[in-house]
Every structure is written in structure tokens, then in C-alpha cells.
Amino acid sequence: MQQVTLNNCDKPMPAIGMGTVLSSRPGTDPSEMMKSALLEAIKAGHRHFDTAFIYQSEKSLGEAIVEALHLGLIKSRDDLFITTKLWCTFAQRDQIVGACKLSLRELQLDYVDMYLIHHPLRVSEKIQKFPVPKEMIHPLDIKGVWEGMEECKNLGLTKGIGVSNFSCKKLEELLFIAKIPPAVEMNPIWQQKELREFCKAKGIHITAYSPFGAYNTIWGDNRVMECDVLTEIAKSKGKTIAQVALRWIYEQEVSLVVKSLNKERMKENLQIFDWSLSQQDLKKISELPQHKGFTMASLFGPHDFVLQLDAEI
């Protein structure tokens, strides 16, 4: 597994992470299904796991880590890189340390390796369902929230801190007040060249999430997996479309988080390091029509403030 060095974390991060959003299937317990999948992922070689309070998978991941240690699949917790995220309902200066500790209890860990602000907004009440009523959504107090994130790091609750779904504009605001700089997130159809260039100039590492377009979610589609260009490249190299998409991301000096509950695909997703894309392949991918994948409006609702955040990305 290739690793990347982060500017605010003293532990290298595996270049491929596994996503852990709970999926429900008829006749199955989502938590048990996720725990089993995480154990299979560890057996396959995954060492970086990405969770969040809102995913409701922190408990499953914690249980999987305990069992992996018991089975001898890993020697110690330090063998793993664990990322979790601050949810919007806790995005206030005085709630952040408590929110991080809540996640640590669910994970059965003393610390996480990366703690991210999940979205650049605050929600004032517990969310019962999506979309969220307009009156519950508020601008993020970037200075206060980041101070809380820095406190989590200073207390040893996390080795690194970062952000997710931030625009260049929001990152500029953050960098202006930050004592510790952050890390962010992209996919082959929505390539976010401006964000990549901005982050590279500022020494911020990018992690790509939903690299296959998050098909079967309320905001995703199948553009990546049905892309003719990626299909053609995959056939010519004897690879899967998924492997081509992941290799393209890796060649942009970007790490990635990918989710699969299928044992064979878990292994395939790790097999991207011993081959490369040609200059012609890269040119074809760079010319793909751009389509924004995730929008905050698709999750929180098409409110004016949310639409403004989406327009910045």
C-alpha cells in the first residue's frame, strides 16, 4: 500500500481508504453487514478507514478493529489509519471536543488519525430527515470551529485535522486564521482542477471521495462506471473501469476513499500501484465533460445559503 505524507499529521496515510456509509439491504442487519465487510477489507489489505458520525458506522468500525486485533489480522491499532468527521449539529466552538470524544467512544479508540469538518455549515437542531428546513441551517463560524478542531489535536484526540466539501474561498478564510492547516476531497467526472491547484500551492493534501460517482445515493449517478472513455481504457489495459478511475485519481497525487462490500472488488481496488496510464489515456480523461457530483443542496435542500456554497465549489 502506497502512503502519503500530510502536513499536519505525524502519521503517513495509506493512499486508498475504505468508506463506511451504512447500506441497508432487505433481511440484513446493516451494522453487522458493515462489521463483516470491514473485517474482509482488513484481510484484503485495507488499512485506512473513513467514517463519520452521520454514517452511523463508527460503532461497527470499532467492533471490527477489536475483532481484527483478537484474530491477529493486525498487530496493533497503530496499524490502521482512522478518519472520522465532525457533524454539522456539533459545529460550534464549545461542542467540538465533546463530539470528537463521542466518536472515540463509539470507535473504542483513544484517538483518531484524522478528524474532519464534514460540511462548511452548521445545523442548529438534530436532523430528523433530509432535506433540512431552511431555518435550521446557518453559516459556519470558521474561526471558532477551527479553534475547536485545533484543541482536539492539541489534546491528542486526533493526530491530524482537516475539512471536507470546502471551496477554495472557504479554504482561504480558514487558512487566514488557522494555526494548523487542513486536508480536503474529487472524482474523474468532476475533476476540480482549480481546487487541486489551489491545494497544491498551499500544501494541502486532497482525498477523493465517491470516486465512482456514488451511484444509488440521493445525489449520485452512474456516469463514471458507464463512461465510454474509461471503458475503452480499461479494455485496452485488461483492468476494470473502477481500477482505471482509481489509478487516474492516484496519478493526480490525490489519495482516495472507495466503498465496496464485495470481497473481490475490495482486492481489485487495491491493485492500482503496479501499472500506469499513458499520456494519451490521461489526455482523454482530462477532456471528459465535467459534471458536479455531490451538491450540498441535494442533501440539505435547495436553500439560498446552501446553493451559494455549492456555487463556490
Side-chain angles (χ1 to χ4, degrees):
M1 173 66 74
Q2 300 295 311
Q3 297 186 322
V4 296
T5 301
L6 303 172
N7 62 6
N8 69 9
C9 182
D10 58 7
K11 182 176 178 179
M13 181 174 74
I16 299 178
M18 178 170 168
T20 62
V21 179
L22 280 185
S23 303
S24 57
R25 294 179 182 176
T28 64
D29 177 344
S31 297
E32 278 300 315
M33 185 171 66
M34 177 56 69
K35 178 184 170 183
S36 296
L38 291 167
L39 284 168
E40 289 298 337
I42 291 172
K43 291 176 186 175
H46 281 276
R47 292 296 180 266
H48 175 193
F49 295 92
D50 178 273
T51 185
F53 173 85
I54 195 63
Y55 297 169
Q56 299 182 310
S57 60
E58 290 175 326
K59 188 172 185 289
S60 297
L61 177 54
E63 291 173 353
I65 293 170
V66 170
E67 190 159 338
L69 286 165
H70 177 71
L71 294 172
L73 300 177
I74 51 175
K75 293 180 180 178
S76 77
R77 177 265 177 266
D78 291 342
D79 291 347
L80 303 177
F81 192 101
I82 307 298
T83 296
T84 193
K85 306 178 189 74
L86 174 76
W87 184 236
C88 309
T89 50
F90 305 120
Q92 294 191 90
R93 175 65 181 89
D94 61 351
Q95 293 188 41
I96 294 164
V97 169
C100 187
K101 288 180 176 179
L102 176 62
S103 288
L104 290 174
R105 283 197 296 274
E106 289 291 289
L107 288 161
Q108 302 183 57
L109 297 177
D110 295 325
Y111 70 91
V112 289
D113 300 288
M114 185 59 61
Y115 195 43
L116 306 178
I117 300 173
H118 207 150
H119 292 283
L121 54 81
R122 178 174 70 86
V123 177
S124 57
E125 300 175 32
K126 182 178 179 180
I127 297 173
Q128 303 296 335
K129 64 177 182 177
F130 292 100
V132 177
K134 178 180 179 180
E135 58 272 16
M136 288 171 53
I137 297 176
H138 307 275
L140 188 72
D141 170 17
I142 289 182
K143 185 176 186 297
V145 170
W146 195 249
E147 285 175 354
M149 298 292 284
E150 290 176 330
E151 184 179 359
C152 289
K153 179 171 170 58
N154 291 335
L155 289 171
L157 303 178
T158 180
K159 289 186 177 294
I161 50 178
V163 298
S164 139
N165 300 303
F166 270 48
S167 64
C168 294
K169 181 180 178 182
K170 286 288 181 285
L171 283 169
E172 284 277 25
E173 292 178 37
L174 175 55
L175 288 168
F176 184 74
I177 56 90
K179 295 175 183 174
I180 305 170
V184 274
E185 308 176 2
M186 123 191 153
N187 81 53
I189 298 297
W190 180 242
Q191 297 178 10
Q192 300 203 69
K193 293 178 183 178
E194 181 186 358
L195 181 64
R196 280 190 282 139
E197 290 169 3
F198 176 90
C199 289
K200 187 174 183 179
K202 301 295 183 182
I204 300 170
H205 180 75
I206 292 182
T207 296
Y209 70 96
S210 299
F212 307 144
Y215 187 52
N216 283 332
T217 67
I218 60 173
W219 53 268
D221 58 42
N222 213 20
R223 288 170 187 258
V224 173
M225 301 308 287
E226 292 180 349
C227 175
D228 291 340
V229 170
L230 297 181
T231 301
E232 178 189 327
I233 294 171
K235 286 181 179 177
S236 71
K237 295 195 171 297
K239 305 295 179 182
T240 67
I241 297 170
Q243 287 173 323
V244 171
L246 298 180
R247 179 67 199 188
W248 175 83
I249 292 171
Y250 178 69
E251 291 193 17
Q252 310 312 301
E253 299 180 344
V254 171
S255 59
L256 54 103
V257 169
V258 61
K259 179 189 170 188
S260 177
L261 302 183
N262 179 286
K263 287 191 283 188
E264 291 309 310
R265 284 198 289 271
M266 286 179 193
K267 295 174 184 175
E268 287 176 356
N269 290 340
L270 296 176
Q271 294 167 359
I272 66 165
F273 299 115
D274 59 351
W275 57 280
S276 61
L277 295 167
S278 68
Q279 288 301 311
Q280 185 178 13
D281 295 334
L282 293 171
K283 184 175 184 295
K284 288 179 181 177
I285 295 173
S286 72
E287 293 170 350
L288 287 172
Q290 293 301 283
H291 170 77
K292 184 182 291 189
F294 172 75
T295 65
M296 281 175 270
S298 67
L299 182 63
F300 294 100
H303 312 305
D304 290 346
F305 175 63
V306 178
L307 292 171
Q308 178 188 329
L309 290 174
D310 280 333
E312 292 175 2
I313 297 177

